[in-house]
Amino acid sequence: MKISAVIFDLDGVIVSTDEFHYQAWKQISDQEKMYFNREINERLRGVSRMESLEIILSHSDKNYSEKDKQLLAQRKNEVYCALLNKLSPNDILPGVINLLLSLKARDIKIAIGSSSKNTPFILEQIGLAFSFNAIADGNSITNSKPDPEVFLLAAEKLGVAPEECVVIEDAQAGIDAAIAAGMKAVGVGTAASCVNAQLTLKDLSNLNIDQLIEVNEIRS
Ligand code: G6P
Ligand code: MG
């Protein structure tokens, strides 16, 4: 199968915002006296804001109304966005720019497939707001990863068949979403130990397009 597009997750693949998510949830958890640590934080990768809150609450005996949960999530997002103000193009992860340029040179389309509603703000902060052929994010989906919706939407926006797309992800939920969408998946960073991915890497510094083409030729 030829490769027509590469769909990038944002947080943890293009830019490392994970620490900001952790700090923001930690601040709210401490204020509310809810139990939260880095191990729980790992389970929030690729998961929407409200589902992340539910995971945190499952480790606590606190009960909140739906309205209070919305307010908690809103408070977390305010702390998180204040931290995002510090982001700059220097925070783009190793290998990303080279890979984007090589894909463009080979006429392979590039898209974002992220659960984050802050995608437009993050892309603007790092100077990549106009770099992608399509953006599918938390603002335009109903079901977050591991549901395939965000990646299928990215493929649809690109006008490309799902089987012609390779996804690059740092989250188990994202790898599962890619596979559920009928796409191949490359796991980077924290997903480097993910068994379901067709290829795993520490970061994107040494990934070349021929490797991506090989990944897409693997039979499911
Ligand atoms: C990404 C991150 C998750 C985060 C989600 C929603 O997928 O990996 O940790 O919960 O986006 O982010 P948002 O910016 O909409 O709160
Ligand atoms: Mg991610």
Side-chain angles (χ1 to χ4, degrees), residues 113-130:
S114 167
S115 305
S116 173
K117 294 187 172 179
N118 291 300
T119 296
F121 180 42
I122 295 170
L123 289 176
E124 194 185 310
Q125 288 292 94
I126 60 175
L128 295 182
F130 302 104

Side-chain angles (χ1 to χ4, degrees), residues 4 9 12 32 46 50 83 109 117 165 170 212:
S4 301
D9 172 48
E32 295 295 315
M50 291 310 292
L83 294 167
K109 291 180 177 166
K117 294 187 172 179
C165 299
D170 73 315
L212 285 176

Side-chain angles (χ1 to χ4, degrees), residues 70-128:
Q70 293 288 346
L71 290 172
L72 278 180
Q74 194 180 320
R75 266 166 58 199
K76 180 266 174 178
N77 196 48
E78 281 162 14
V79 178
Y80 178 62
C81 286
L83 294 167
L84 288 181
N85 273 323
K86 296 186 208 160
L87 271 189
S88 80
N90 290 334
D91 295 301
I92 296 173
L93 287 166
V96 170
I97 296 294
N98 277 348
L99 181 59
L100 295 179
L101 292 173
S102 330
L103 288 166
K104 280 197 175 190
R106 295 272 286 260
D107 264 343
I108 297 174
K109 291 180 177 166
I110 51 177
I112 291 285
S114 167
S115 305
S116 173
K117 294 187 172 179
N118 291 300
T119 296
F121 180 42
I122 295 170
L123 289 176
E124 194 185 310
Q125 288 292 94
I126 60 175
L128 295 182

Side-chain angles (χ1 to χ4, degrees), residues 118-145:
N118 291 300
T119 296
F121 180 42
I122 295 170
L123 289 176
E124 194 185 310
Q125 288 292 94
I126 60 175
L128 295 182
F130 302 104
S131 303
F132 293 88
N133 301 106
I135 292 173
D137 67 19
N139 299 297
S140 43
I141 53 165
T142 314
N143 307 299
S144 86
K145 301 165 187 177

Side-chain angles (χ1 to χ4, degrees), residues 9 26 34 48 89 104 106 127 143 165 173 183 192 198 200:
D9 172 48
K26 181 72 181 144
M34 297 186 308
S48 73
K104 280 197 175 190
R106 295 272 286 260
N143 307 299
C165 299
M183 301 174 182
Q198 275 81 24
T200 55

Side-chain angles (χ1 to χ4, degrees), residues 26-66:
K26 181 72 181 144
Q27 185 169 320
I28 301 302
S29 305
D30 287 351
Q31 286 167 357
E32 295 295 315
K33 304 206 174 0
M34 297 186 308
Y35 183 67
F36 182 64
N37 59 18
R38 287 193 181 269
E39 203 181 320
I40 300 171
N41 189 57
E42 281 307 303
R43 294 183 46 210
L44 312 184
R45 282 179 193 277
V47 176
S48 73
R49 196 180 308 161
M50 291 310 292
E51 284 170 283
S52 296
L53 177 60
E54 292 295 345
I55 292 173
I56 296 169
L57 288 174
S58 72
H59 293 269
S60 149
D61 49 15
K62 296 256 176 179
N63 280 316
Y64 292 97
S65 66
E66 279 313 307

